[in-house]
Amino acid sequence: MKVLVLSEYPAPAAGLALQGELLCKGLHEMGVDVRPVHLESNLEKEWYFRWFKPDVVVGVGFWGHLPNLVLHPQKFGDESGSVARSRWLYRGTP
């Protein structure tokens, strides 16, 4: 399984960033192919969607990060198909 984790990366000394870093570490220790990417770097996220083709995309943040964690991947998922399968989860999102 390939997992792309959208969080503050590289992690500054903050709670949410630490959660994203520990999630990546735990998944890696379980043998999952995981890649962290900074949640605000649209170009980097798009590159990972095309190159890495994740099975799962996980966003670590708060409600204010919604555009970077949910809305941007949805738009890009329509092209690659990698995120489009999960689109139904967010139908009520503005």
Side-chain angles (χ1 to χ4, degrees), residues 12-20:
L16 288 173
L18 182 59
Q19 289 178 14

Side-chain angles (χ1 to χ4, degrees), residues 8-71:
E8 292 182 278
Y9 178 80
L16 288 173
L18 182 59
Q19 289 178 14
E21 184 176 339
L22 292 175
L23 175 63
C24 288
K25 182 179 178 181
L27 289 171
H28 180 72
E29 288 175 1
M30 292 175 18
V32 175
D33 189 3
V34 61
R35 303 279 195 254
V37 63
H38 196 280
L39 60 98
E40 293 180 352
S41 177
N42 289 342
L43 184 62
E44 187 178 4
K45 287 187 288 188
E46 290 179 14
W47 184 82
Y48 271 104
F49 286 134
R50 286 192 181 126
W51 172 77
F52 186 57
K53 295 183 175 45
D55 297 312
V56 177
V57 178
V58 178
V60 179
F62 75 109
W63 67 269
H65 292 143
L66 180 82
N68 293 313
L69 296 176
V70 177
L71 300 179

